[in-house]
Amino acid sequence: MSDAALLTQSIAPFLLHARINAVTLPDCAGLQLYLLNDDFPHDALSPEEMDWALNEPSYWMFCWASGLAQARQILQQPELVRGKTVLDFGAGSGVVAVAAAKAGAKRVISCDIDPLSLQASAANARLNGVQVELLDDFFQLNERVDVLFAADVLYDSANRSFLPAFLDAANEVWLTDSRVKSLTAPHYQRLYSVMSETLPDLNEFDEFRLVNFYYGRREQS
Ligand SMILES: C[S@@+](CC[C@H](N)C(=O)[O-])C[C@H]1O[C@@H](n2cnc3c(N)ncnc32)[C@H](O)[C@@H]1O
């Protein structure tokens, strides 16, 4: 069975009319992802489907605005990752991991607590002809990486507790987020913002299309 069919099968019991298709992302150097069909009628979910979507959200079916913005930045500035070991925290579809691998990273680790997300990362790596390693528990990382990316993970305020651990685990940290407008955390600073979009389009307000780039680094002693 193809990766698209396997991923579609994983959601079929919950979302009756959903399909997972390969989509070429705009302005991403031909990067493709398996995503939810964009004609999926998400405003007409049954109560059971809505319950599933709210309680066990399959984030990997979407390319979130922050992940798309981060992937574009990596592909436009490959020197950020070239020859480096990279970790994509909260990988979802693995869009950032795949972009880093395409841009010439030496090793790429896709980290997510959702097993289906890791399956999607692996499938998306195959789709793009690149390699990514999979990690289901950030605290099992047993090495320091060069660059850690975390795109659209701060929607869950509990994830803010990871910010110091990211600096322990990586020489450089990039956080991209459209929900958190002004992050104040030691060793992190906001650098700039760009407009982006979630795919398939969720018709989000413009304020959720404006993605902030935060950069973190701890001075080495
Ligand atoms: C909104 S999605 C973003 C996905 C992707 N980075 C993007 O921008 O398209 C957030 C992802 O973070 C993952 N996540 C949330 N908490 C996590 C944790 N503690 N460790 C690893 N992954 C986590 C979720 O399972 C989900 O796949």
Side-chain angles (χ1 to χ4, degrees):
M1 196 182 275
S2 69
D3 281 329
L6 277 170
L7 290 168
T8 297
Q9 195 179 54
S10 73
I11 55 170
F14 313 105
L15 293 180
L16 293 182
H17 304 291
R19 291 186 320 278
I20 298 296
N21 301 322
V23 173
T24 302
L25 304 189
D27 304 321
C28 267
L31 194 159
Q32 290 187 293
L33 285 184
Y34 290 115
L35 297 177
L36 180 64
N37 51 308
D38 63 5
D39 57 352
F40 177 71
H42 27 345
D43 50 353
L45 295 183
S46 69
E48 293 77 19
E49 288 175 320
M50 185 61 83
D51 189 52
W52 177 78
L54 290 175
N55 292 312
E56 293 184 54
S58 285
Y59 294 107
W60 58 269
M61 298 188 301
F62 295 89
C63 176
W64 297 88
S66 304
L68 182 60
Q70 183 63 82
R72 285 177 175 152
Q73 182 215 33
I74 291 169
L75 292 163
Q76 285 161 8
Q77 301 174 52
E79 63 279 7
L80 293 175
V81 298
R82 192 180 292 128
K84 297 181 178 173
T85 298
V86 169
L87 185 132
D88 178 13
F89 178 91
S93 64
V95 58
V96 173
V98 170
K102 272 177 75 80
K106 180 175 67 178
R107 279 182 61 210
V108 180
I109 304 162
S110 207
C111 174
D112 205 291
I113 44 172
D114 176 0
L116 270 176
S117 158
L118 295 181
Q119 198 178 317
S121 271
N124 284 320
R126 281 191 288 276
L127 183 63
N128 289 278
V130 296
Q131 302 255 322
V132 301
E133 298 169 34
L134 307 177
L135 179 68
D136 62 0
D137 177 359
F138 175 70
F139 292 107
Q140 295 300 314
L141 181 71
N142 53 19
E143 65 189 290
R144 195 172 164 82
V145 300
D146 297 307
V147 193
L148 184 153
F149 295 98
D152 204 354
V153 299
L154 300 178
Y155 62 91
D156 181 350
S157 57
N159 281 341
R160 290 194 186 208
S161 64
F162 281 93
L163 295 179
F166 289 166
L167 295 168
D168 292 340
N171 297 335
E172 296 180 280
V173 179
W174 288 93
L175 307 173
T176 40
D177 211 284
S178 58
R179 317 271 152 183
V180 177
K181 299 300 178 194
S182 66
L183 178 76
T184 36
H187 308 291
Y188 288 92
Q189 57 177 311
R190 194 177 75 81
L191 294 187
Y192 47 81
S193 310
V194 300
M195 291 304 286
S196 183
E197 70 263 24
T198 293
L199 303 170
D201 196 349
L202 289 173
N203 297 318
E204 292 173 298
F205 295 121
D206 276 354
E207 65 171 302
F208 296 128
R209 296 171 189 254
L210 185 72
V211 174
N212 292 299
F213 280 72
Y214 299 98
Y215 178 75
R217 184 184 184 97
R218 200 180 270 147
E219 292 310 317
Q220 305 297 311
S221 52

